[in-house]
Amino acid sequence: MSIFTGSGVAIVTPMYEDGRVNFDKLGELIDFQIAGGTDSIIICGTTGEASTLTDEEHIECIRYTVEKVAHRVPVIAGTGSNCTREAINLSKESVKAGADGLLCVTPYYNKCTQDGLVEYFVDIARAADLPIIMYSVASRTGCNITPYAANKAFRSADNIVAIKEASGNIGQVAKIAQLTEGGLDIYSGNDEMITPIMSLGGKGVISVLANVAPKLAHDIAASYLEGDVKKSADLQIRCMDLVDALFCEVNPIPVKAALNLMGFEVGPLRKPLTQLEAKHEEQLVQAMKAWNLL
């Protein structure tokens, strides 16, 4: 059984102006997401600025989210690292916290070979008894999960059950589906490719777009799952300007700006990320107005 189907939000981590995590605001965002139809909450991923959270903050965000969600939807904890030992520690803590699954990004900066990737995922799987979603986003980590490595990892541990595919390479997605014979769940890691990936058997999306438009992201995926491919495709095409605006600078700079424009007061980013440039803010405002988000 899939951890979830439909739209999972890669939720932002709200901050106070002094940089502390704003847990009250995180709770508000979680309720907003569930009310909007979001099918899963992914906490401490890329969009959640996990790379600048301390271990203590990281674990507390996961604990808080599990408690706040209270089994309304699955909670998936981001626990990947460029150190296998650290990834295992975060994964074990997520098990204790009551998470429903783990999202494990590939090691970054030091990278590794494809055989090393397989060992990394299998080591985490053996240490933490939760379903694992491998996360392939070479544009940020410099380390792609090839279809052959994805298949080998999938067949090496029963709890490696899915992949978040953010390579932008639809041919790679098709090859993963072929090699794993449909047994490995595939989630789009790119908001502009939800419908295309679902056409290859994908189960949905782990979305940045859902932060500001949860119903829209949900409807793109849900329409496909319900057999209304035309509606899914139409929504996918119509939202492209909004998706482009949410990625006009490195994620999560634009999406945090968008939430602040919507009045959510999610606060600043942690350095080295900086405020959205004025020219991009205008692009974002126009795209949001087209969807009545402002």
Side-chain angles (χ1 to χ4, degrees):
M1 180 182 293
S2 301
I3 305 175
F4 77 95
T5 57
S7 172
V9 63
I11 200 164
V12 305
T13 301
M15 307 281 184
Y16 291 108
E17 288 302 320
D18 64 5
R20 290 178 298 121
V21 175
N22 185 340
F23 287 101
D24 289 340
K25 186 62 63 174
L26 178 58
E28 183 182 334
L29 293 177
I30 288 168
D31 286 339
F32 169 68
Q33 286 298 318
I34 294 173
T38 291
D39 301 290
S40 180
I41 306 292
I42 294 85
I43 183 71
C44 295
T46 305
T47 312
E49 299 178 79
S51 59
T52 55
L53 296 175
T54 67
D55 285 356
E56 291 77 15
E57 289 173 325
H58 197 132
I59 293 163
E60 186 57 31
C61 283
I62 293 165
R63 287 177 183 151
Y64 177 87
T65 301
V66 170
E67 292 174 6
K68 180 65 178 178
V69 170
H71 304 291
R72 288 178 287 173
V73 296
V75 173
I76 298 166
T79 60
S81 173
N82 64 343
C83 171
T84 300
R85 181 175 57 189
E86 176 66 9
I88 287 172
N89 177 60
L90 289 172
S91 298
K92 285 181 173 179
E93 290 296 329
S94 298
V95 173
K96 292 178 187 176
D100 298 290
L102 306 174
L103 178 69
C104 298
V105 73
T106 58
Y108 41 87
Y109 184 69
N110 51 3
K111 305 193 289 185
C112 60
T113 65
Q114 292 298 302
D115 284 344
L117 267 185
V118 173
E119 286 191 22
Y120 165 79
F121 287 119
V122 172
D123 285 348
I124 297 169
R126 288 174 177 164
D129 188 19
L130 279 177
I132 290 172
I133 303 173
M134 300 179 286
Y135 181 10
S136 183
V137 57
S139 63
R140 295 189 78 115
T141 66
C143 188
N144 181 47
I145 306 174
T146 68
Y148 303 96
N151 182 50
K152 186 174 181 180
F154 162 63
R155 297 186 186 280
S156 298
D158 290 342
N159 57 327
I160 295 177
V161 300
I163 187 167
K164 177 184 176 183
E165 235 297 339
S167 69
N169 183 343
I170 198 70
Q172 176 164 291
V173 176
K175 193 66 178 178
I176 290 169
Q178 179 203 15
L179 292 176
T180 62
E181 300 175 286
L184 183 70
D185 287 345
I186 302 173
Y187 297 101
S188 177
N190 299 95
D191 284 308
E192 74 276 14
M193 294 181 70
I194 305 170
T195 304
I197 285 179
M198 293 188 76
S199 75
L200 294 170
K203 299 295 184 180
V205 61
I206 295 177
S207 173
V208 175
L209 170 67
N211 278 281
V212 298
K215 186 177 186 301
L216 172 58
H218 168 83
D219 286 352
I220 294 171
S223 296
Y224 198 99
L225 291 168
E226 291 163 4
D228 194 341
V229 176
K230 185 179 186 305
K231 180 179 178 181
S232 177
D234 286 348
L235 288 171
Q236 177 76 87
I237 291 166
R238 284 176 54 208
C239 78
M240 290 302 292
D241 285 347
L242 180 57
V243 171
D244 287 346
L246 288 170
F247 288 90
C248 63
E249 291 183 27
V250 67
N251 179 49
I253 292 174
V255 72
K256 266 200 156 176
L259 286 165
N260 284 328
L261 287 167
M262 292 171 72
F264 278 106
E265 299 180 358
V266 298
L269 300 122
R270 283 195 174 169
K271 292 184 177 181
L273 298 185
T274 51
Q275 294 290 92
L276 187 69
E277 295 179 13
K279 63 180 180 181
H280 291 142
E281 182 171 333
E282 180 58 28
Q283 177 188 354
L284 183 62
V285 166
Q286 294 306 313
M288 292 174 71
K289 284 181 175 178
W291 285 93
N292 297 315
L293 297 175
L294 294 177

